[in-house]
Amino acid sequence: MAHPDIWFNGRLVKHEEANVHVLTHALHYGTSVFEGIRSYRTKRGSAILRLREHMQRLLDSARIYRMEVPYTLDELEAAVIQTVEASGMDACYIRPLVFRGAGTLGVNPLKHSVETVIAVWDWGAYLGQDALEKGVSVEVASWQRMAPNTFPSMAKAGGNYLNAGLVKMDAVLNGFTEGIMLSTSGYVAEGSGENLFVVRDGRLFTAPTALSILPGITRDCVIRIARELGYGIESALIPREALYIADEVFFTGTAAEITPVREIDHYVIGSGSRGPITAAIQEAYFDVIREGNDPYGWLTPVTPRR
Ligand code: PPE
């Protein structure tokens, strides 16, 4: 099948024609912000999960970096829907990107153009086929999350992923699936592309936003689902060793969805497979994205054209 068209500054263009110049500012200095969104094929039709929240976070990220996006939230939502519908894909991963364009180089981005792109592709299980059921084996990374006064973690910016890439490469080269970063203060922060939850004695814990994590939208889904299911949940400072004595640990993210962690630094977590609370939260999440039940108002229906 041909690659779906890409939305580029207001119109759909052919995949092969969605190109930039090599002197693009973002290529040299990491001046881009982006989103990752999933559209699902639910039993009630195709639908995009938490579209508004993702596009609001894109605008927030752009604002933090003083990028003036020439589209409103409503226009960006419509653009995503248009791109997904034109792709003909019942389910896909959606990648909106805003970046500083080509011009004379130099660090100061203020004079550079602000370009907007929306691409879609097929993206299966992020952390491996069996991961959602069996869980993944991970390490605590030797690289830390950025300090709060270095660059902003609430912006989902291209440059942030240099750090994430180092974590991921080390993990893979060491034989693990993913790395967990600690904050500069030494507390558990998040994975290279996922937030993290720890379960102990029936309660859930996750890092606070102030620990320089990305405030994940899946993390927010899990917090709401956990409350709904009656589990105690709090954002808290989690010491590294709390990972090793946890009953359950799991990652959350648009790409990773809800992925159990079965082993950390060769410590087996709980029973060494998906724990019961992880399973209950996964089930509630999958009820939305697979069954299309939407008690929270998280789904935007789409009609992919064939
Ligand atoms: N932390 C980081 C660092 C992160 O990149 C993501 C998403 C999350 C947490 C979870 O956020 P949310 O998707 O809103 O629940 N990572 C995206 C990109 C992954 C990639 O490899 O590219 C994603 O999951 O789409």
Side-chain angles (χ1 to χ4, degrees):
M1 199 181 97
H3 290 292
D5 289 352
I6 294 177
W7 193 94
F8 201 165
N9 292 331
R11 63 189 187 92
L12 286 171
V13 301
K14 292 265 159 280
H15 181 270
E16 301 72 33
E17 286 158 23
N19 303 313
V20 296
H21 196 270
V22 291
L23 297 184
T24 294
H25 198 274
L27 215 46
H28 294 251
Y29 305 110
T31 43
S32 65
V33 296
F34 68 98
E35 271 307 317
I37 315 174
R38 276 191 193 267
S39 180
Y40 286 99
R41 177 184 180 175
T42 81
K43 289 201 178 140
R44 300 178 182 194
S46 290
I48 303 172
L49 183 65
R50 305 204 71 175
L51 174 59
R52 197 164 190 85
E53 290 83 353
H54 279 284
M55 297 322 274
Q56 182 61 57
R57 189 172 65 186
L58 182 72
L59 286 175
D60 292 345
S61 299
R63 182 179 166 80
I64 290 167
Y65 279 103
R66 304 183 193 278
M67 293 171 165
E68 282 182 30
V69 181
Y71 307 102
T72 64
L73 183 55
D74 284 342
E75 287 167 345
L76 289 170
E77 278 188 54
V80 169
I81 293 168
Q82 183 194 358
T83 311
V84 170
E85 293 191 335
S87 78
M89 297 172 80
D90 289 328
C92 59
Y93 184 83
I94 306 162
R95 170 56 54 85
L97 171 78
V98 174
F99 64 96
R100 292 284 187 177
T104 50
L105 287 172
V107 167
N108 180 6
L110 285 172
K111 293 259 157 50
H112 286 75
S113 62
V114 173
E115 321 257 345
T116 310
V117 169
I118 302 164
V120 299
W121 64 81
D122 183 31
W123 209 356
Y126 186 60
L127 297 174
Q129 264 323 314
D130 291 343
L132 292 174
E133 215 178 298
K134 300 207 170 107
V136 290
S137 174
V138 309
E139 65 173 358
V140 171
S142 56
W143 294 101
Q144 298 176 328
R145 269 310 267 181
M146 69 284 249
N149 54 351
T150 56
F151 42 100
S153 74
M154 290 181 80
K156 190 169 171 64
N160 293 3
Y161 288 82
L162 284 170
N163 165 266
L166 289 168
V167 169
K168 186 76 181 193
M169 287 190 287
D170 269 1
V172 169
L173 293 172
N174 289 336
F176 299 98
T177 301
E178 181 56 288
I180 297 173
M181 279 175 278
L182 305 180
S183 66
T184 50
S185 50
Y187 294 104
V188 174
E190 62 176 347
S192 75
E194 312 87 5
N195 293 118
L196 188 84
F197 286 76
V198 173
V199 181
R200 169 93 186 195
D201 296 333
R203 292 182 69 76
L204 286 91
F205 303 89
T206 193
T209 311
L211 229 49
S212 294
I213 61 163
L214 181 76
I217 290 161
T218 319
R219 173 181 180 271
D220 181 69
C221 290
V222 166
I223 290 171
R224 292 184 44 193
I225 288 170
R227 287 203 182 115
E228 199 68 31
L229 296 178
Y231 298 116
I233 176 145
E234 56 192 276
S235 58
L237 297 178
I238 303 167
R240 173 176 181 162
E241 62 273 24
L243 296 172
Y244 305 144
I245 57 173
D247 298 328
E248 303 177 33
V249 175
F250 60 89
F251 282 128
T252 66
T254 298
E257 299 175 317
I258 295 169
T259 300
V261 175
R262 65 177 154 78
E263 223 175 60
I264 305 173
D265 293 337
H266 303 295
Y267 288 89
V268 174
I269 306 305
S271 60
S273 64
R274 177 174 59 191
I277 293 180
T278 308
I281 288 170
Q282 260 187 349
E283 196 184 307
Y285 190 73
F286 289 148
D287 193 52
V288 177
I289 63 180
R290 291 185 183 164
E291 303 300 318
N293 296 326
D294 189 19
Y296 307 99
W298 288 343
L299 297 177
T300 301
V302 282
T303 314
R305 279 195 303 277
R306 251 165 278 272

